[in-house]
Amino acid sequence: MSLPARGKQSAVALFVSLWQEAEKWSGPERASAAPPPTTFSEQAKFGLTLPADNEVYVALRELVGHHATTSAAFRGQVLRLMRLIDECFLSIHPRSPVVAPSAGRRPILPAWLRDARDYRRLTGNYYDDGRCLLVARGPLLRGARHPIASSADSLSDRFAALTVVGSALTHEGRRVPVRLKTVSTSVSAGIVPGPTPGAECVAFIPVGEAEAEIVALERNSADQMWVGFLPSDSTNAADRVLGALEATGLNVDIAMVPEFMVTETCADELAERLAASSVSPRMVIAGSGPTRDMRDGQPWNEARILNACGTELWRQRKIWPAGLDQRRALSFGMSDPGPDGQILEDTAAGDEVVVIDADGLGRCVVLICQDIQMRSFTDDLIRMYQPDWVFVPILDTGVAEGRWMHTRTFELSALSQSRFLVASSLTLAIKAKIQDPACALAVGPKEPSGIGQTRQDVPRALAIAKTDPQVSPGIALIRWRSGLWLKTVVGSK
């Protein structure tokens, strides 16, 4: 038995080739793989110490299928070799501690592994064959999912340092590329490391707090009703964000603004003023809002992500614009689309999802409101990429336990170690006459890794926060591993 060579002759290409072979097998076939003899592992470990990538490839490639007289033996060789390569990459994974030169001698890495580390810093991946990517297994700054987290055999959960992911995913037949980008710990151009990793403080700034602070612009075209949302002329996002952060006087790790509260022009102003401000959140998710550029007369609904200096880190456009049915449209004071109709958001659809590997914060992704409902696109994205953080700016009547934003994020929390943050404005809650609405929701992993270790997250963690009536502009704070955290109870409401 043999495995055909595929692509470039390197250890990373070999891992991808082995992955593509192993993913064809059923769970029982992988679980019943026969462990290879000790000599196999010893030869593989020696091959991984060779300096040149092509030498490693040849040494490891020759082992696969050698003396494998049964299918079970062949599967065992493949899985063992993948595990040894994965363990090798743990030494350069962002999750692994870096030993300071003053603390003692660092382990000497072979040249091919140093090259792989440097290549990832430039591209975000270790290998790209045009269809899939080999990337660092997420999350980047906390423990990986437990190998048996799926309560079944899972190929991806077998590995802690490496995973193969799709370079594009599909939603209802539409192909959506995934773009991976790295962000450094640079003060000026990146995200600086925080003083208390795992206990980050998140500020949710609704911006829209009064009934008139969001403007809905309706139009009818081609027998379809559309509505565009904008902050009112009197609602300045930059003023609200900076004013709220200054009023708290706290060191905030992440500041988050809801959907449709930050136009592209407002984001420009916020970026410029952050650079001169005394507040210094490590990262600002500048909500989302319409762009100046348009496609077929429609702007994109775009979030801007900034660092403490106002430097743009990335942008994310909403991929799946939402619609309002008759009940919701009427409750928000809009026209009646009829019992079988809906009013669609008057925005163009985004063309890609951006995944950010930030050395100082972890793997991050922004999913704007309806995008988190994209099945199975979002499920696949979270399962494959295992982000540390998922940011969800929404336009709704606030947040609440048991509502869609809670049940959906809890559903996704079973797939990864991600922390989900949902930010809503309050204007629509006032229009819908909802009393004392909350604007902030945080959901932790259903089964956090490392339970029993010091200061780990509780399972099914849930926190909801309202704006502080003593602080203006409004702001709600949630600190991980501190304050009131509940446990999600499915079906409670």
Side-chain angles (χ1 to χ4, degrees):
M1 298 179 184
S2 64
L3 186 69
R6 177 181 290 174
K8 181 183 175 183
Q9 292 196 346
S10 64
V12 290
L14 180 61
F15 187 92
V16 172
S17 184
L18 296 173
W19 179 289
Q20 291 168 342
E21 179 72 15
E23 69 181 353
K24 299 174 187 175
W25 305 331
S26 67
E29 285 176 325
R30 286 193 293 264
S32 62
T38 303
T39 54
F40 178 91
S41 296
E42 291 174 347
Q43 290 175 298
K45 288 177 181 178
F46 173 78
L48 288 166
T49 66
L50 297 173
D53 227 350
N54 63 327
E55 292 177 330
V56 177
Y57 175 87
V58 171
L60 301 184
R61 179 65 184 76
E62 288 180 349
L63 291 174
V64 180
H66 189 61
H67 294 311
T69 57
T70 66
S71 296
F74 175 70
R75 295 194 297 270
Q77 288 183 348
V78 169
L79 294 173
R80 176 63 59 82
L81 194 54
M82 293 177 71
R83 174 62 65 84
L84 293 173
I85 296 173
D86 182 71
E87 290 174 355
C88 195
F89 272 79
L90 276 175
S91 62
I92 62 171
H93 192 282
R95 199 185 303 128
S96 300
V98 177
V99 179
S102 60
R105 294 185 61 185
R106 301 185 189 186
I108 298 175
L109 302 176
W112 70 267
L113 191 56
R114 295 198 303 271
D115 291 343
R117 177 194 59 197
D118 296 341
Y119 184 82
R120 177 185 166 270
R121 288 173 177 169
L122 292 173
T123 67
N125 65 77
Y126 295 117
Y127 182 73
D128 180 357
D129 72 358
R131 296 186 301 110
C132 61
L133 307 173
L134 180 65
V135 303
R137 171 78 163 159
L140 301 188
L141 300 186
R142 292 190 295 278
R145 261 169 61 98
H146 196 280
I148 61 171
S150 295
S151 298
D153 182 90
S154 166
L155 179 62
S156 58
D157 285 342
R158 286 174 173 263
F159 308 105
L162 294 173
T163 194
V164 176
V165 298
S167 58
L169 302 174
T170 59
H171 175 240
E172 296 187 349
R174 181 189 179 209
R175 183 180 182 275
V176 181
V178 180
R179 179 162 61 91
L180 196 62
K181 176 184 175 183
T182 57
V183 172
S184 72
T185 56
S186 162
V187 173
S188 61
I191 302 174
V192 297
T196 54
E200 288 83 1
C201 179
V202 185
F204 300 79
I205 305 167
V207 176
E209 299 181 76
E211 185 172 357
E213 290 187 329
I214 291 180
V215 177
L217 304 175
E218 295 185 39
R219 70 181 179 95
N220 193 301
S221 175
D223 294 327
Q224 173 62 56
M225 299 178 69
W226 304 86
V227 59
F229 294 102
L230 288 168
S232 67
D233 291 339
S234 62
T235 307
N236 185 287
D239 285 344
R240 300 290 178 89
V241 171
L242 297 176
L245 292 173
E246 288 169 356
T248 64
L250 297 176
N251 293 321
V252 170
D253 293 286
I254 301 166
M256 196 169 171
V257 184
E259 183 184 23
F260 285 120
M261 297 312 305
V262 188
T263 66
E264 185 174 12
T265 301
C266 290
D268 292 340
E269 180 185 355
L270 177 59
E272 183 177 345
R273 292 177 59 183
L274 267 171
S277 173
S278 60
V279 301
S280 55
R282 294 166 60 203
M283 183 168 70
V284 178
I285 313 296
S288 76
T291 61
R292 290 183 290 268
D293 290 340
M294 294 189 178
R295 174 189 286 168
D296 297 331
Q298 292 180 314
W300 282 274
N301 181 6
E302 181 180 82
R304 180 94 59 94
I305 298 82
L306 309 167
N307 72 2
C309 296
T311 302
E312 178 183 320
L313 301 175
W314 81 97
R315 301 186 186 199
Q316 177 63 59
R317 291 175 171 176
K318 190 173 186 176
I319 299 168
W320 195 26
L324 298 171
D325 61 15
Q326 183 183 50
R327 180 186 62 81
R328 287 170 60 80
L330 293 177
S331 71
F332 300 153
M334 298 177 190
S335 300
D336 185 353
D340 299 321
Q342 62 178 334
I343 305 178
L344 292 177
E345 288 175 9
D346 200 1
T347 58
D351 297 314
E352 67 174 5
V353 62
V354 183
V355 176
I356 295 297
D357 279 6
D359 290 346
L361 190 64
R363 181 167 289 162
C364 305
V365 64
V366 175
L367 296 171
I368 302 172
C369 201
Q370 184 72 10
D371 288 352
I372 203 166
Q373 298 280 37
M374 294 169 62
R375 295 176 172 85
S376 61
F377 177 94
T378 299
D379 305 68
D380 292 340
L381 179 71
I382 301 300
R383 177 180 55 80
M384 288 183 180
Y385 282 85
Q386 295 285 305
D388 294 64
W389 300 94
V390 180
F391 305 107
V392 190
I394 69 172
L395 175 66
D396 209 302
T397 56
V399 299
E401 183 179 3
R403 290 198 60 210
W404 69 268
M405 67 287 295
H406 173 215
T407 57
R408 179 56 172 156
T409 51
F410 176 68
E411 179 183 42
L412 292 169
S413 75
L415 303 177
S416 71
Q417 292 298 303
S418 304
R419 291 173 168 185
F420 296 84
L421 299 175
V422 183
S424 176
S425 53
L426 300 175
T427 295
L428 295 187
I430 297 171
K431 288 180 180 290
K433 297 180 172 52
I434 293 176
Q435 300 297 315
D436 199 22
C439 65
L441 171 74
V443 173
K446 183 178 180 182
E447 294 293 340
S449 60
I451 292 298
Q453 300 177 12
T454 306
R455 294 183 63 81
Q456 291 296 316
D457 299 324
V458 298
R460 298 181 287 125
L462 164 67
I464 296 174
K466 301 174 182 178
T467 55
D468 184 344
Q470 304 301 316
V471 179
S472 181
I475 188 170
L477 298 172
I478 292 177
R479 184 181 292 277
W480 288 90
R481 300 176 181 170
S482 178
L484 179 61
W485 284 85
L486 306 174
K487 282 192 176 183
T488 295
V489 179
V490 179
S492 62
K493 291 185 180 180

